[in-house]
Amino acid sequence: MRASLAFTAVLCLISASAFGLMSGEIHYKWWKNPEIIKQLALTDTQIDAIEGIFDSYRQQIVNSQKELKKEETHLLDILRQPKCSSDEVMEITDHIEYMRANLTRIKVEMLLKIKNVLTSDQEATLHSIRENYRRRSH
């Protein structure tokens, strides 16, 4: 239950951060989008803090994603073998799931730190922006 809740939170926040959410303009870093900055009334201090948090996690996330992709490719290679070992496949699968969970944990940790930079009103506004974007994109 906790894992699915955390995963849902990550998906929501990542969808909010992956796109600028406004005017069809794509901004990977929502805190750099001028319209969102205005709507949230983000201060320069908050923007700098969010950027610092993002930068401190970025390489760790990129490395984890690369390793996950590498392990998934390895699994596919093993599965293509005519006589692959079920035990080996399951061991690799377990490792992939562990890697995914770890990546999710890293992202949630980053997002919680970013959340702590925002006021409760800013956070509520950001969720509203995300919901509006989500409705428009479906």
Side-chain angles (χ1 to χ4, degrees):
M1 178 72 169
R2 273 185 160 165
S4 65
L5 188 59
F7 184 69
T8 301
V10 169
L11 287 178
C12 290
L13 291 171
I14 288 173
S15 69
S17 66
F19 300 99
L21 309 174
M22 307 295 292
S23 308
E25 215 178 312
I26 296 177
H27 288 272
Y28 184 75
K29 298 176 178 183
W30 57 264
W31 58 93
K32 297 285 189 171
N33 182 315
E35 291 184 49
I36 293 177
I37 291 170
K38 184 178 175 183
Q39 282 194 336
L40 296 179
L42 287 175
T43 66
D44 289 342
T45 302
Q46 287 176 307
I47 294 167
D48 291 344
I50 293 169
E51 183 71 19
I53 293 165
F54 178 79
D55 284 344
S56 73
Y57 282 90
R58 182 179 45 215
Q59 196 58 51
Q60 189 178 3
I61 290 170
V62 167
N63 290 343
S64 293
Q65 288 171 331
K66 283 180 184 176
E67 287 300 313
L68 177 59
K69 181 82 171 163
K70 186 174 157 183
E71 196 68 9
E72 288 171 336
T73 300
H74 176 63
L75 176 61
L76 290 175
D77 290 343
I78 297 295
L79 287 170
R80 287 186 186 110
Q81 295 176 3
K83 295 185 181 188
C84 61
S85 159
S86 180
D87 289 340
E88 183 180 12
V89 167
M90 295 314 294
E91 184 178 320
I92 295 169
T93 301
D94 288 344
H95 184 64
I96 287 170
E97 289 307 311
Y98 170 79
M99 293 172 77
R100 273 196 191 114
N102 190 51
L103 178 58
T104 298
R105 184 177 175 84
I106 293 166
K107 289 177 180 179
V108 167
E109 184 179 302
M110 178 187 72
L111 294 169
L112 285 172
K113 286 184 179 183
I114 289 172
K115 176 182 169 179
N116 288 333
V117 171
L118 303 174
T119 66
S120 56
D121 287 344
Q122 288 171 322
E123 187 181 351
T125 301
L126 183 59
H127 286 296
S128 294
I129 292 168
R130 183 194 56 79
E131 279 301 313
N132 290 336
Y133 173 78
R134 197 167 139 204
R135 277 193 292 267
R136 282 197 322 254
S137 66
H138 288 317

